[in-house]
Amino acid sequence: MKKILIIHTGGTISMKEDEKTGAVKPGEKNPLHDTTPSLKTLADIHVEELFHLPSPHMTPKEMLILRNTIEEKIKKEHFQGVVITHGTDTLEETAYFLDLTIQEDVPIVVTGAMRSSNEIGADGLYNLISSVKVASSDEARGKGVLVVLNDEIHTAKNVTKTHTSNIATFQSPQYGPIGIVTKRGVFFHHSPTKRVTYPIRQLSKNVVLLKAYAGMDDMLFDAIQTLPLDGLVIEALGQGNLPPKATKGVKSLLEKKIPIVLVSRCFNGIVQDIYGYEGGGKQLKEMGVIFSNGLNGQKARIKLLVALEMTNDDEKLQEMFMD
Ligand code: ASP
């Protein structure tokens, strides 16, 4: 039997529905503790209750504590796999942060639930069981941080929450899952090509995310210049373009040496410097905007937070965002 660590951080998977009001919220006790005995046939299970937070309450500070706890526990207590339970709203951000910053290659799986523990069709225990199976699988080693829900195995890099309430919410647009979990076992059908990790020890920068829209001008860019800002991610239009009036805002931030990373608000495809008109990708690239390689906005923000702990050299940042 593999020695597996389960770390609870909160989320719907650790909540209950109030039968009178219908409100779903955390209680005093995490209902997942009662489920631990049903996992003992699968692995040698050890449980750590790190946080009891809804995932909109997660911040980079908790992500860093979680990362440090995982690395320390793997090193000192020789766990062979780790499962993290987490709220689904920001699950992809935490999972991607762990993927970028954990050097160990033991399987690390993040899971959650769309229905709380006492609701009809609750998916929490089911997802937890699937995740323990994946974390115990030899094949899961070296594949980076994985996200397991609803019988599917996704990479932290590509997965995103696509539906507000459906249990099949976690999808990897364009790429799909890399494996499935069935009653008989864990089956991988793809492997990630490359994983680069960054050994940062702190998260001290302030990076914000803006979404482009038709008619966007420099108003928001002017407003954020008053903030203590270290970096900006813009979810641009299509292949990486902005409305012409927004380029003035981009230029003045770049002149202040604030790095700007461009992703697309389309959820498939990558940004490239294709268009030569005012606000088009070619002009943005020439101005020094960093083009990302297929990440969504919230994950590019996590990556820029991490990258800025390593360097603020534009060329090095651009290289990091090509991985
Ligand atoms: N709002 C909840 C959270 O992210 C949703 C969930 O866990 O599914 O904590």
Side-chain angles (χ1 to χ4, degrees), residues 246-256 260 287:
T247 55
K248 206 170 124 231
V250 168
K251 202 161 167 262
S252 69
L253 282 174
L254 290 172
E255 277 165 6
K256 292 198 162 73
I260 301 181
M287 285 164 75

Side-chain angles (χ1 to χ4, degrees), residues 20-234:
K20 284 197 199 100
T21 64
V24 175
K25 53 182 190 213
E28 292 213 335
K29 190 174 160 242
N30 185 344
L32 282 175
H33 284 308
D34 300 334
T35 65
T36 311
S38 59
L39 302 168
K40 296 231 153 120
T41 54
L42 298 172
D44 172 19
I45 300 286
H46 298 246
V47 179
E48 168 105 14
E49 177 101 22
L50 191 61
F51 307 117
H52 198 27
L53 293 173
S55 76
H57 297 196
M58 275 280 170
T59 71
K61 181 173 158 242
E62 283 81 25
M63 292 181 195
L64 194 63
I65 294 172
L66 177 61
R67 193 290 297 265
N68 293 344
T69 305
I70 295 169
E71 276 199 341
E72 200 184 299
K73 292 261 173 194
I74 293 174
K75 275 198 191 94
K76 289 197 180 144
E77 297 174 47
H78 310 293
F79 285 103
Q80 293 163 295
V82 181
V83 174
I84 297 122
T85 66
H86 197 289
T88 59
D89 290 352
T90 62
L91 187 151
E92 66 196 81
E93 283 155 90
T94 299
Y96 186 52
F97 171 72
L98 300 176
D99 189 60
L100 283 175
T101 57
I102 292 186
Q103 252 84 51
E104 308 288 335
D105 73 351
V106 308
I108 296 172
V109 178
V110 189
T111 192
M114 296 302 287
R115 297 181 188 134
S116 68
S117 57
N118 60 341
E119 288 177 57
I120 303 285
D123 50 333
L125 179 57
Y126 188 87
N127 287 336
L128 186 56
I129 289 171
S130 302
S131 300
V132 170
K133 287 183 185 170
V134 175
S136 309
S137 150
D138 289 331
E139 267 196 89
R141 275 189 82 90
K143 289 199 166 52
V145 174
L146 301 170
V147 172
V148 173
L149 286 99
N150 201 36
D151 287 338
E152 290 184 346
I153 309 167
H154 294 265
T155 61
K157 189 172 181 182
N158 294 327
V159 78
T160 191
K161 185 174 181 178
T162 64
H163 195 288
T164 54
S165 54
N166 193 309
I167 60 164
T169 182
F170 282 93
Q171 307 284 328
S172 298
Q174 187 157 254
Y175 305 108
I178 63 164
I180 56 169
V181 187
T182 72
K183 284 188 177 159
R184 302 283 171 262
V186 171
F187 301 95
F188 285 94
H189 45 71
H190 284 88
S191 277
T193 46
K194 189 179 174 192
R195 177 177 177 225
V196 183
T197 56
Y198 305 97
I200 55 143
R201 302 258 49 106
Q202 57 168 17
L203 278 175
S204 60
K205 308 294 180 193
N206 191 23
V207 174
V208 299
L209 171 61
L210 289 183
K211 185 170 195 146
Y213 48 86
M216 185 186 211
D217 58 19
D218 55 356
M219 182 177 68
L220 287 172
F221 295 91
D222 285 348
I224 62 172
Q225 291 201 33
T226 61
L227 302 174
L229 191 66
D230 300 300
L232 168 67
V233 175
I234 307 174

Side-chain angles (χ1 to χ4, degrees), residues 268-302:
N268 281 307
I270 56 173
V271 285
Q272 290 180 319
D273 55 332
I274 303 295
Y275 288 96
Y277 51 73
E278 175 76 12
K282 279 204 173 297
Q283 187 192 31
L284 298 173
K285 187 110 192 187
E286 273 158 27
M287 285 164 75
V289 171
I290 295 158
F291 280 50
S292 175
N293 195 7
L295 295 172
N296 65 22
Q298 56 271 31
K299 283 192 219 173
R301 176 180 170 269
I302 294 287

